[in-house]
Coordinates of all heavy atoms in Angstrom, one line a residue:
P408 N 77.3 132.1 83.7 CA 77.0 132.9 82.6 C 76.6 132.1 81.3 O 76.3 132.7 80.3 CB 78.2 133.8 82.3 CG 79.3 132.9 82.8 CD 78.8 132.1 83.9
R409 N 76.7 130.8 81.4 CA 76.4 130.0 80.2 C 75.9 128.7 80.6 O 76.4 128.0 81.5 CB 77.7 129.8 79.4 CG 77.7 129.0 78.1 CD 76.9 129.7 77.0 NE 77.3 129.3 75.7 CZ 76.9 128.1 75.1 NH1 76.1 127.3 75.8 NH2 77.2 127.8 73.9
G410 N 74.8 128.3 80.0 CA 74.2 127.0 80.4 C 75.1 125.8 79.9 O 76.0 126.0 79.1
S411 N 74.8 124.7 80.4 CA 75.5 123.4 80.0 C 77.0 123.5 80.3 O 77.8 122.9 79.5 CB 75.3 123.1 78.5 OG 73.9 123.1 78.3
I412 N 77.4 124.2 81.3 CA 78.8 124.1 81.7 C 79.1 122.8 82.3 O 78.5 122.4 83.2 CB 79.2 125.2 82.7 CG1 78.7 126.6 82.2 CG2 80.7 125.2 83.0 CD1 78.8 127.7 83.2
D413 N 80.1 122.1 81.7 CA 80.4 120.7 82.1 C 81.9 120.6 82.5 O 82.7 120.3 81.7 CB 80.1 119.7 81.0 CG 80.2 118.3 81.5 OD1 80.6 118.0 82.6 OD2 79.8 117.4 80.7
P414 N 82.2 120.8 83.8 CA 83.6 120.7 84.3 C 84.2 119.3 84.1 O 85.4 119.2 83.8 CB 83.5 121.1 85.7 CG 82.1 120.9 86.2 CD 81.3 121.1 84.9
R417 N 85.4 119.0 80.4 CA 86.7 119.8 80.2 C 87.9 119.0 80.8 O 88.9 118.9 80.2 CB 86.6 121.2 80.8 CG 86.0 122.3 80.0 CD 84.7 121.9 79.4 NE 84.1 123.0 78.6 CZ 82.8 123.0 78.3 NH1 82.0 122.0 78.6 NH2 82.3 124.0 77.6
L451 N 88.6 124.8 84.3 CA 87.5 125.4 84.9 C 87.6 125.5 86.4 O 86.7 125.1 87.2 CB 86.2 124.7 84.6 CG 85.7 124.8 83.1 CD1 84.4 124.0 82.9 CD2 85.6 126.2 82.6
C477 N 89.6 129.1 80.9 CA 88.6 130.2 81.1 C 87.7 129.8 82.2 O 87.6 128.6 82.6 CB 87.8 130.4 79.8 SG 87.1 128.9 79.1
F478 N 87.1 130.8 82.8 CA 86.2 130.7 83.9 C 86.9 130.2 85.1 O 86.4 129.4 85.9 CB 85.0 129.8 83.5 CG 83.7 130.1 84.3 CD1 83.3 131.4 84.4 CD2 83.0 129.1 84.8 CE1 82.1 131.7 85.1 CE2 81.8 129.4 85.5 CZ 81.4 130.7 85.7
L508 N 83.6 138.3 80.0 CA 83.4 137.0 79.5 C 82.3 137.0 78.5 O 81.1 137.1 78.8 CB 83.1 136.0 80.7 CG 83.1 134.5 80.3 CD1 84.5 134.1 79.9 CD2 82.7 133.7 81.6
F509 N 82.7 136.9 77.2 CA 81.7 137.0 76.1 C 81.2 135.6 75.7 O 82.0 134.8 75.2 CB 82.3 137.7 74.9 CG 81.3 138.1 73.9 CD1 80.5 139.3 74.1 CD2 81.1 137.4 72.7 CE1 79.6 139.6 73.1 CE2 80.2 137.8 71.8 CZ 79.4 138.9 72.0
T510 N 80.0 135.3 76.1 CA 79.4 134.0 75.8 C 78.9 133.9 74.3 O 78.4 134.9 73.8 CB 78.3 133.6 76.7 OG1 77.3 134.7 76.7 CG2 78.8 133.4 78.1
L511 N 79.0 132.7 73.7 CA 78.6 132.5 72.3 C 77.4 131.6 72.3 O 77.2 130.7 73.0 CB 79.7 131.9 71.6 CG 81.1 132.6 71.5 CD1 82.1 131.8 70.8 CD2 80.9 134.0 70.9
Y512 N 76.5 132.0 71.3 CA 75.4 131.1 71.1 C 75.8 129.8 70.4 O 76.9 129.7 69.9 CB 74.3 131.8 70.2 CG 73.6 132.9 70.9 CD1 73.8 134.3 70.5 CD2 72.7 132.7 71.9 CE1 73.2 135.3 71.1 CE2 72.0 133.7 72.5 CZ 72.3 135.0 72.2 OH 71.6 136.1 72.8
C513 N 75.0 128.8 70.4 CA 75.4 127.5 69.9 C 75.7 127.5 68.4 O 76.5 126.7 67.9 CB 74.2 126.5 70.1 SG 73.9 126.1 71.8
N514 N 75.2 128.5 67.7 CA 75.5 128.6 66.3 C 76.6 129.6 66.0 O 76.9 129.9 64.8 CB 74.3 129.0 65.5 CG 73.8 130.4 65.9 OD1 74.1 130.9 66.9 ND2 73.0 131.0 65.0
E515 N 77.3 130.0 67.0 CA 78.4 131.0 66.9 C 79.7 130.3 67.2 O 79.8 129.4 67.9 CB 78.2 132.2 67.8 CG 77.1 133.1 67.4 CD 77.0 134.3 68.3 OE1 77.1 134.2 69.6 OE2 76.9 135.5 67.8
S516 N 80.8 130.9 66.6 CA 82.1 130.5 67.0 C 83.1 131.7 66.7 O 82.7 132.7 66.1 CB 82.5 129.3 66.2 OG 82.6 129.6 64.8
N517 N 84.3 131.5 67.1 CA 85.4 132.5 66.8 C 86.6 131.6 66.4 O 86.5 130.4 66.3 CB 85.7 133.4 68.0 CG 86.3 134.7 67.6 OD1 87.2 134.8 66.8 ND2 85.8 135.8 68.2
K529 N 89.4 126.9 65.7 CA 88.0 127.2 66.1 C 87.8 127.2 67.6 O 88.3 126.3 68.3 CB 87.0 126.3 65.4 CG 85.6 126.6 65.6 CD 84.7 125.6 64.9 CE 83.2 125.8 65.2 NZ 82.3 124.8 64.5
C530 N 87.0 128.1 68.1 CA 86.7 128.1 69.5 C 85.2 128.4 69.7 O 84.6 129.1 68.8 CB 87.5 129.1 70.3 SG 87.4 130.9 69.8
T531 N 84.6 127.9 70.7 CA 83.2 128.0 70.9 C 82.9 128.3 72.4 O 83.8 128.4 73.2 CB 82.4 126.7 70.5 OG1 83.0 125.6 71.2 CG2 82.6 126.4 69.0
F532 N 81.6 128.4 72.7 CA 81.1 128.4 74.1 C 81.3 129.8 74.7 O 80.3 130.4 75.0 CB 81.8 127.4 74.9 CG 80.9 126.8 76.0 CD1 79.9 125.9 75.7 CD2 81.0 127.2 77.3 CE1 79.0 125.4 76.7 CE2 80.2 126.7 78.3 CZ 79.2 125.8 78.0
W533 N 82.5 130.2 74.9 CA 82.7 131.6 75.4 C 84.1 132.0 75.1 O 85.1 131.2 74.8 CB 82.5 131.6 76.9 CG 83.1 130.6 77.8 CD1 84.2 129.8 77.5 CD2 82.6 130.1 79.0 NE1 84.5 128.9 78.5 CE2 83.5 129.1 79.5 CE3 81.6 130.4 79.8 CZ2 83.3 128.4 80.7 CZ3 81.4 129.8 81.0 CH2 82.3 128.8 81.4
C534 N 84.3 133.4 75.2 CA 85.6 134.0 74.9 C 85.9 134.9 76.0 O 85.2 135.9 76.3 CB 85.6 134.7 73.6 SG 85.3 133.7 72.1
D535 N 87.0 134.7 76.8 CA 87.4 135.5 77.9 C 88.2 136.7 77.2 O 89.2 136.5 76.6 CB 88.3 134.7 78.8 CG 88.2 135.2 80.3 OD1 87.8 136.4 80.5 OD2 88.5 134.4 81.2
G573 N 91.9 131.1 77.4 CA 90.8 131.9 77.7 C 89.5 131.6 76.9 O 88.5 132.3 76.9
T574 N 89.5 130.4 76.2 CA 88.3 130.1 75.4 C 88.2 128.5 75.3 O 89.2 127.8 75.6 CB 88.3 130.7 74.0 OG1 87.1 130.4 73.3 CG2 89.5 130.2 73.2
D575 N 87.1 128.1 74.8 CA 87.0 126.6 74.5 C 87.5 126.3 73.2 O 86.8 126.4 72.2 CB 85.5 126.2 74.6 CG 85.2 125.4 75.8 OD1 85.9 125.5 76.8 OD2 84.2 124.6 75.8
L576 N 88.8 125.9 73.1 CA 89.4 125.5 71.8 C 88.8 124.2 71.4 O 88.5 123.3 72.2 CB 90.9 125.3 72.0 CG 91.7 126.6 72.4 CD1 93.1 126.2 72.7 CD2 91.6 127.6 71.2

Side-chain angles (χ1 to χ4, degrees):
R409 179 69 155 79
S411 304
I412 304 171
D413 189 352
R417 269 56 176 194
L451 292 181
C477 52
F478 208 46
L508 190 61
F509 191 79
T510 54
L511 302 176
Y512 291 111
C513 293
N514 63 341
E515 290 185 309
S516 63
N517 205 314
K529 182 180 178 180
C530 61
T531 58
F532 212 77
W533 47 27
C534 299
D535 212 339
T574 185
D575 249 27
L576 297 172

